[in-house]
Amino acid sequence: MVNQIVDAINNVLWGEGQVLIFMLVGCGVWFTVRLGGVQLKHFIHMFALLRGSGNSTKEGISSFQALCTSLSARVGTGNLAGVAVAISLGGAGAIFWMWVIAFLGMATGFAESVLGQLYKVHDENGEFRGGPAYYIKQGLNKTWLAILFSLCLFLGYGFVFSAVQANTITDALNNAYDIPTHWSGVVIIALAALIVVGGFRGIARFAEWVVPFMGIGYVIAALLVTFLHISEVPELLMHIIRSAFGLEEAGAGALGAAIKNGIQRGLYSNEAGSGSVPHAAAAATPNPNHPVTQGYIQMLGVFLDTMILCTSTAFIILLAGGSAQDQMEGIRMTQDAMSWHVGSGGTDFVAAAICLFAFTSVVANYAYGESNLHMFKLDNRPGRAAYTVGYLAMIFWGSMAALPQVWALADMALGLMTVINIVAIIWLTPTIVSISKDYFAKHAKGEKPEYRRGDCEIQGTSEKGIW
């Protein structure tokens, strides 16, 4: 019964209804136009803001920690297993549509992160908290919609997504070393518990050290593989483009499969528009002191996640001859591809990579859920303890569950979150445009953009106004 309900909802969101595909593309186009092509116009500037982004305060984490925290949630199964699933179900053309949704998603990620920073509040410990539930409640004065989003986020990031990450870790270890999945699950639970006990700040410190190391290491490995097959790269790129428009595969459904799976897995990887990243953006102390700073920082996260890391996995798989298959292969397809390139050590490398990638997502997902405890007045010891127990239990369940079952539940939770968040940020467009133009104007004049309450006309009110 539950599986039938999940499948019915996913069919509306991702399948025949294709609600989310139209919403995501439309939202990306909308903000690309309304913000003047910010992802192209200010592409270099978003890198420049990394300078001086390492300073945190007692109220908030640093901008660099916020970027690493959001990347630790983004960079997980979507980058290794998700790309393999997209290719398995949609062919090489799915990668092109991943790129498209990432380009458009950069503008969407910019918009939602600006709101996350603008409408943040102090929690009971004096630390910054925010996210879609907060800007829906304060900016739109829709408390019921804020609560509905928080419930969807608890289902997704608080519970199901960590199960997905655990599922991929245990499957990779079982495939590489025949380690029983339940024992791997126990180890994941123990390590995660040690980190999440430190709360959002502890998770940010963990991400700050681990994410750059694992990201750079994985990209270097992908570059080495690419250089070994450099003569094949031009034809590979043409293969991706031809497949993206159904010019190679037989059957009328090839184009639709490429678009659907590319966009679906692209969103699952970079999370732009889903409403997850604004939680990390809200927790940061921006430098310069303007909410738009976090828009740039998190826009960079979308670029790094999909255009760099997902593309790395795609090249590893496609240069090994990977293509659309009858069965969703997940992480094993990536492991087999790496083994084809470098021998038996490839399976070990991918197993290690997915353990790091997915584990960082496991702990970052906890932080997003914890940020929303404040909405239910559960930001206290008993509330946090109950949430932690449920979170750890779902990790153990996910470590042994069937892959299609776990992915279906994750798709539903992510889809429902995304629908609510996109409606909210479109509704708050006047505020996003107003505050962004304030930053753009000051930056164009060579000034250091600083924001003060009253500088721009914003929607709603901030009951515990930080700005």
Side-chain angles (χ1 to χ4, degrees):
M1 181 65 178
V2 174
N3 289 339
Q4 291 176 338
I5 294 173
V6 171
D7 289 343
I9 293 174
N10 282 336
N11 189 48
V12 173
L13 296 176
W14 298 108
E16 294 178 3
Q18 298 185 342
V19 169
L20 276 177
I21 291 178
F22 290 113
M23 290 187 73
L24 285 167
V25 173
C27 184
V29 171
W30 172 258
F31 283 113
T32 296
V33 173
R34 294 301 305 270
L35 296 172
V38 64
Q39 66 269 60
L40 287 177
K41 190 175 180 180
H42 295 167
F43 183 77
I44 302 300
H45 182 60
M46 68 181 182
F47 288 94
L49 286 174
L50 287 177
R51 294 196 303 268
S53 65
N55 299 321
S56 60
T57 67
K58 65 179 181 179
E59 294 179 304
I61 61 178
S62 69
S63 289
F64 183 69
Q65 287 177 326
L67 173 63
C68 289
T69 300
S70 68
L71 279 173
S72 68
R74 287 170 167 145
V75 178
T77 58
N79 298 85
L80 281 85
V83 172
V85 168
I87 293 172
S88 179
L89 297 179
I95 303 307
F96 176 85
W97 296 107
M98 267 193 177
W99 293 337
V100 170
I101 199 62
F103 172 76
L104 296 175
M106 288 173 72
T108 304
F110 177 95
E112 63 182 353
S113 297
V114 167
L115 292 176
Q117 178 68 207
L118 179 64
Y119 290 102
K120 66 187 180 183
V121 303
H122 282 122
D123 68 5
E124 63 177 16
N125 298 318
E127 296 182 0
F128 294 142
R129 289 290 182 268
Y134 297 82
Y135 55 70
I136 291 170
K137 181 179 179 181
Q138 297 176 50
L140 299 176
N141 195 29
K142 303 292 182 184
T143 301
W144 67 272
L145 191 59
I147 292 174
L148 181 59
F149 177 89
S150 291
L151 290 172
C152 290
L153 183 130
F154 274 125
L155 173 63
Y157 283 85
F159 303 116
V160 179
F161 294 167
S162 294
V164 171
Q165 310 295 343
N167 183 280
T168 306
I169 293 173
T170 56
D171 186 53
L173 292 176
N174 180 262
N175 184 44
Y177 310 114
D178 292 323
I179 298 175
T181 56
H182 63 280
W183 286 119
S184 299
V186 169
V187 173
I188 296 169
I189 289 172
L191 293 176
L194 289 174
I195 297 170
V196 302
V197 72
F200 208 121
R201 193 177 292 273
I203 292 168
R205 285 195 294 266
F206 168 77
E208 181 181 27
W209 286 101
V210 175
V211 170
F213 165 76
M214 70 180 189
I216 292 172
Y218 188 70
V219 170
I220 289 174
L223 286 173
L224 290 174
V225 167
T226 303
F227 286 138
L228 289 173
H229 302 274
I230 194 67
S231 62
E232 301 172 32
V233 172
E235 175 57 30
L236 173 62
L237 293 173
M238 291 305 300
H239 173 51
I240 290 173
I241 294 172
R242 288 194 299 265
S243 298
F245 296 96
L247 301 179
E248 290 189 348
E249 291 84 353
L255 174 59
I259 296 174
K260 174 183 177 293
N261 287 285
I263 291 178
Q264 188 172 357
R265 294 304 156 201
L267 169 65
Y268 186 78
S269 177
N270 65 52
E271 302 179 8
S274 70
S276 60
V277 170
H279 297 92
T285 300
N287 181 27
N289 195 36
H290 197 293
V292 171
T293 302
Q294 283 305 301
Y296 286 110
I297 293 291
Q298 299 305 332
M299 184 168 69
L300 175 60
V302 176
F303 175 81
L304 294 175
D305 173 87
T306 305
M307 305 303 284
I308 303 298
L309 291 170
C310 284
T311 300
S312 295
T313 299
F315 274 41
I316 289 171
I317 293 173
L318 294 174
L319 286 171
S323 62
Q325 300 177 13
D326 294 332
Q327 183 177 356
M328 183 166 60
E329 292 290 338
I331 191 60
R332 298 191 180 198
M333 187 176 186
T334 309
Q335 286 180 307
D336 291 344
M338 200 65 180
S339 296
W340 187 88
H341 289 297
V342 300
S344 59
T347 299
D348 297 329
F349 174 81
V350 175
I354 196 60
C355 285
L356 275 175
F357 278 40
F359 183 73
T360 57
S361 291
V362 168
V363 295
N365 291 345
Y366 177 91
Y368 290 167
E370 186 195 43
S371 291
N372 281 263
L373 291 174
H374 187 72
M375 292 296 297
F376 299 99
K377 310 300 181 185
L378 293 174
D379 193 16
N380 49 49
R381 184 171 294 180
R384 204 171 290 113
Y387 166 59
T388 303
V389 169
Y391 157 83
L392 295 175
M394 284 297 291
I395 291 176
F396 189 70
W397 172 77
S399 68
M400 298 180 292
L403 178 62
Q405 178 186 1
V406 178
W407 277 101
L409 199 56
D411 287 339
M412 184 191 74
L414 182 64
L416 293 174
M417 280 177 54
T418 305
V419 168
I420 296 171
N421 185 58
I422 288 179
V423 170
I425 62 178
I426 292 291
W427 208 338
L428 287 164
T429 296
T431 293
I432 296 167
V433 172
S434 176
I435 198 168
S436 297
K437 285 184 175 179
D438 177 72
Y439 185 101
F440 298 162
K442 291 173 180 175
H443 175 65
K445 293 177 182 177
E447 301 176 6
K448 184 177 181 179
E450 298 282 346
Y451 178 77
R452 294 172 299 276
R453 184 185 292 264
D455 281 359
C456 304
E457 184 175 343
I458 64 173
Q459 294 160 264
T461 57
S462 178
E463 58 192 35
K464 298 180 181 179
I466 305 300
W467 294 99

